[in-house]
Amino acid sequence: MTDQSVISGGNLLSTLIYGGTLVADEEAALHEAWRVATGRRSPYTNYYESITANQQRTITRTHTRTRTADLFVLDRGHNLAGKEVILECADVSDFSSAQVVFDIVLPSATAPGSLDDALGVRSEEGAWYKRFPDRAAFYWRLRIPAMGASQKPKIVGAHLSLSYSFDPWRPMNPDQDELGGEASESDAGWPGMGTPWNRRTDALRVQLSTLFDYDPWRDAYQHFQRYRPTWYIPNEDQAQNAMCIARPQGVAGLGRTPQWFGHQGDIPYVEYEAA
């Protein structure tokens, strides 16, 4: 067990952040390919879907320069459990020299697992995570082979990025959550609540070992800092507990104190659009 935590912000599929293009070989009206990188997690209003059933589909990302990634997340709400999914990268637009990053039949059930497992890991809420050795490429392509009669892919969100691993400063409480909802009291003082909701909330307790660790930390953290959805895995060997997080309002950041040579600090987070 390594007990390393992982954060990953800055979705390389987002054209708003990185420019370039994101296109599918076929897309239904109001369910275009760009929707997978908006950070919206609604399976009812925000998702990519093709038109023709039982045919291979591709979603291709073209960058303005070479970009490096080592983590892919398929957000909850997809219909690809038990189906083959292929991620490829290339330096030419026709993918004539494509490298296969992974070619996997996605697990259909949640089970304890590591980010580095051969089949990745499915989280408790139905998202799928897979870490792979660093790849740098100009073009990236998600390829979904024909799924079967009357079936076509549905993808609510997809995330491709370069992750950052760190040894968390303990204690940490990744299972801590917040209860909310519309509350009321009767004239007799009896409490009542409408539909309650829960969302996980804690702090990223970061203590960098050296000054050289700050730049890679900053690369991942700057997206969280700007209220972009960020993927957080409290323990990379128990990735089924991973979640999507966002920054709450207020002041946050790392600093340096006489007690520790490197940067350290508590950075609060809340679960983003909890299921």
Side-chain angles (χ1 to χ4, degrees):
M1 300 288 286
T2 63
D3 289 337
Q4 290 275 297
S5 294
V6 177
I7 65 167
S8 193
N11 189 354
L12 293 181
L13 299 178
S14 172
T15 58
L16 290 177
I17 300 175
Y18 295 105
T21 61
L22 179 70
V23 297
D25 61 341
E26 182 183 281
E27 54 189 19
L30 302 180
H31 299 299
E32 302 85 356
W34 58 264
R35 296 178 183 275
V36 306
T38 62
R40 302 168 187 157
R41 308 188 72 193
S42 170
Y44 309 109
T45 59
N46 181 84
Y47 59 90
Y48 160 76
E49 190 173 61
S50 62
I51 301 170
T52 309
N54 199 24
Q55 287 191 10
Q56 175 171 275
R57 297 270 70 97
T58 60
I59 299 176
T60 303
R61 179 69 167 105
T62 301
H63 281 284
T64 56
R65 66 172 179 84
T66 298
R67 299 281 184 184
T68 302
D70 72 347
L71 181 72
F72 184 82
V73 182
L74 195 61
D75 203 357
R76 68 188 187 218
H78 64 82
N79 66 345
L80 301 178
K83 304 297 182 181
E84 184 180 12
V85 174
I86 303 163
L87 181 65
E88 301 168 312
C89 63
D91 293 321
V92 292
S93 60
D94 63 1
F95 282 82
S96 57
S97 58
Q99 302 175 46
V100 176
V101 179
F102 59 71
D103 182 346
I104 292 174
V105 175
L106 267 59
S108 56
T110 299
S114 165
L115 280 181
D116 302 315
D117 284 354
L119 298 180
V121 64
R122 177 185 169 101
S123 74
E124 296 287 354
E125 63 177 355
W128 178 75
Y129 297 72
K130 174 62 182 172
R131 186 165 58 182
F132 48 87
D134 289 7
R135 297 291 183 98
F138 203 98
Y139 303 94
W140 296 81
R141 181 169 70 183
L142 186 66
R143 183 156 55 92
I144 305 166
M147 298 171 60
S150 302
Q151 297 186 63
K152 49 190 177 182
K154 174 183 177 180
I155 301 175
V156 173
H159 180 97
L160 177 71
S161 64
L162 185 63
S163 65
Y164 177 74
S165 301
F166 63 98
D167 187 20
W169 182 17
R170 295 168 179 82
M172 53 187 292
N173 306 292
D175 293 326
Q176 176 177 280
D177 70 2
E178 174 186 8
L179 174 66
E182 186 176 351
S184 62
E185 285 190 353
S186 73
D187 54 6
W190 290 25
M193 180 175 285
T195 303
W197 51 259
N198 296 82
R199 65 182 176 190
R200 288 174 283 185
T201 179
D202 191 24
L204 304 174
R205 293 180 171 84
V206 182
Q207 185 168 270
L208 303 182
S209 299
T210 73
L211 295 179
F212 298 105
D213 291 330
Y214 183 76
D215 284 343
W217 157 261
R218 179 69 181 173
D219 287 343
Y221 172 67
Q222 65 176 320
H223 301 283
F224 175 82
Q225 187 179 35
R226 297 176 186 179
Y227 198 70
R228 293 170 180 160
T230 298
W231 295 95
Y232 172 50
I233 302 92
N235 185 330
E236 62 185 9
D237 289 327
Q238 298 175 7
Q240 73 279 3
N241 298 322
M243 68 188 89
C244 188
I245 63 173
R247 175 181 174 173
Q249 292 185 358
V251 178
L254 300 186
R256 296 178 65 194
T257 68
Q259 291 78 29
W260 188 255
F261 179 73
H263 292 80
Q264 67 175 16
D266 288 0
I267 299 174
Y269 71 80
V270 295
E271 187 175 5
Y272 180 71
E273 296 186 1

